[in-house]
Amino acid sequence: MKEKLLNRIVLGLNISLVVALCVINFFYQRANFDDTLKTIGSSCFAIQGLINLFYAYKTRQTNMRFFIIMAIGLIFALAGDIAIEFNFVAG
């Protein structure tokens, strides 16, 4: 029973973050590519990666290495999106 509830919560969070990212992307393009909206959008997919890493840990997935590497990659992508505002080469 607990696992079904966890599945629904994680699925709901994933769907909510995908919808939020689509809406943010729409306004990001309408606002002439505002860096603040880009950072918020990047935060959405990084948070989604961390949520899925937590879910994989709680459900004891066999290939945890994949989930860890994916979450780290999404965090680096977020850091690159933030850094590109200040220095293109660093981003």
Side-chain angles (χ1 to χ4, degrees):
M1 187 68 166
K2 275 186 173 180
E3 192 169 319
K4 284 186 179 183
L5 179 62
L6 182 62
N7 287 345
R8 289 181 181 180
I9 291 170
V10 170
L11 180 62
L13 287 172
N14 277 316
I15 290 171
S16 298
L17 285 169
V18 168
V19 170
L21 187 56
C22 290
V23 171
I24 290 167
N25 190 37
F26 174 78
F27 287 109
Y28 166 67
Q29 291 179 24
R30 284 195 80 172
N32 203 19
F33 302 98
D34 180 44
D35 291 332
T36 305
L37 290 173
K38 181 175 72 168
T39 302
I40 294 169
S42 298
S43 298
C44 283
F45 66 73
I47 291 168
Q48 191 173 9
L50 293 173
I51 288 170
N52 288 323
L53 175 63
F54 171 76
Y55 175 76
Y57 174 75
K58 290 301 265 186
T59 57
R60 296 186 180 101
Q61 297 297 312
T62 56
N63 191 7
M64 281 301 294
R65 183 177 174 185
F66 168 79
F67 293 100
I68 292 168
I69 291 171
M70 187 62 68
I72 290 170
L74 290 170
I75 291 169
F76 276 124
L78 168 63
D81 278 349
I82 293 171
I84 204 166
E85 293 177 33
F86 306 108
N87 183 342
F88 182 77
V89 175

